[in-house]
Amino acid sequence: MINRVVLTGRLTRDVDLRYTQGGAAVATFNLAVDRRFTNQQGEREADFVSCVIWRKSAENFANFFHKGSLVGIEGCIQTRNYENQQGQRVYVTEVIVENFSFLESKNSTGNGSYQNNRSQNNTSDPFANNGAPMNITDDDLPF
């Protein structure tokens, strides 16, 4: 059996990070994924996919991604059900995220364009300064 999901999309809201009673981190978020086609009005529609990520990955994900972030995820589809307070059976389908990827820089505008953060001398090789110290802040690092 194969149950693999690979999605690229934007977060619809900030990541909701919580902890179980046992102390395990769990983060939930929705990913807006554009459909490959347009509707009759020529507009592109999107699907909104519920996602869950666990433990240290959840904490890292919540620290680095926010509403509008472009992200790639890989995982599997899981379905579950429960009875709500009104006694109705509720069915939930979500992606359990196992891996994720940064798809744009932290300073990106969020519209899909990528802003390259090169040094002020505009060289194409950031390591061309022959071993001199580079000016890198924690904000420049993806981890």
Side-chain angles (χ1 to χ4, degrees):
M1 310 275 175
I2 298 173
N3 181 356
R4 297 303 309 157
V5 176
V6 178
L7 298 171
T8 300
R10 293 196 180 275
L11 296 183
T12 61
R13 57 182 165 79
D14 285 341
V15 179
D16 183 19
L17 178 64
R18 296 181 183 190
Y19 292 88
T20 65
Q21 290 180 346
V26 58
T28 57
F29 60 94
N30 286 330
L31 198 65
V33 180
D34 285 342
R35 293 184 177 168
R36 297 184 73 170
F37 53 88
T38 57
N39 61 19
Q40 291 181 344
Q41 292 76 29
E43 300 167 341
R44 189 168 301 274
E45 295 179 354
D47 292 300
F48 300 93
V49 182
S50 297
C51 302
V52 178
I53 188 168
W54 288 88
R55 298 176 185 75
K56 185 65 176 171
S57 295
E59 293 174 326
N60 290 335
F61 195 91
N63 285 332
F64 291 108
F65 296 108
H66 305 283
K67 180 178 179 179
S69 295
L70 181 64
V71 62
I73 64 167
E74 179 184 354
C76 61
I77 293 178
Q78 179 176 293
T79 58
R80 59 185 172 88
N81 64 74
Y82 63 93
E83 192 172 301
N84 67 13
Q85 292 176 346
Q86 292 78 29
Q88 300 169 320
R89 180 69 49 197
V90 177
Y91 294 90
V92 178
T93 301
E94 53 203 1
V95 173
I96 305 302
V97 177
E98 297 165 359
N99 296 306
F100 60 88
S101 298
F102 296 85
L103 297 181
E104 63 187 354
S105 70
K106 185 175 181 178
N107 297 328
S108 182
T109 59
N111 62 5
S113 64
Y114 180 83
Q115 294 179 354
N116 196 349
N117 295 323
R118 296 185 190 239
S119 61
Q120 295 294 335
N121 60 10
N122 292 325
T123 63
S124 61
D125 184 0
F127 304 104
N129 59 1
N130 295 325
M134 294 173 37
N135 185 14
I136 298 176
T137 66
D138 288 345
D139 291 337
D140 295 327
L141 301 175
F143 46 87

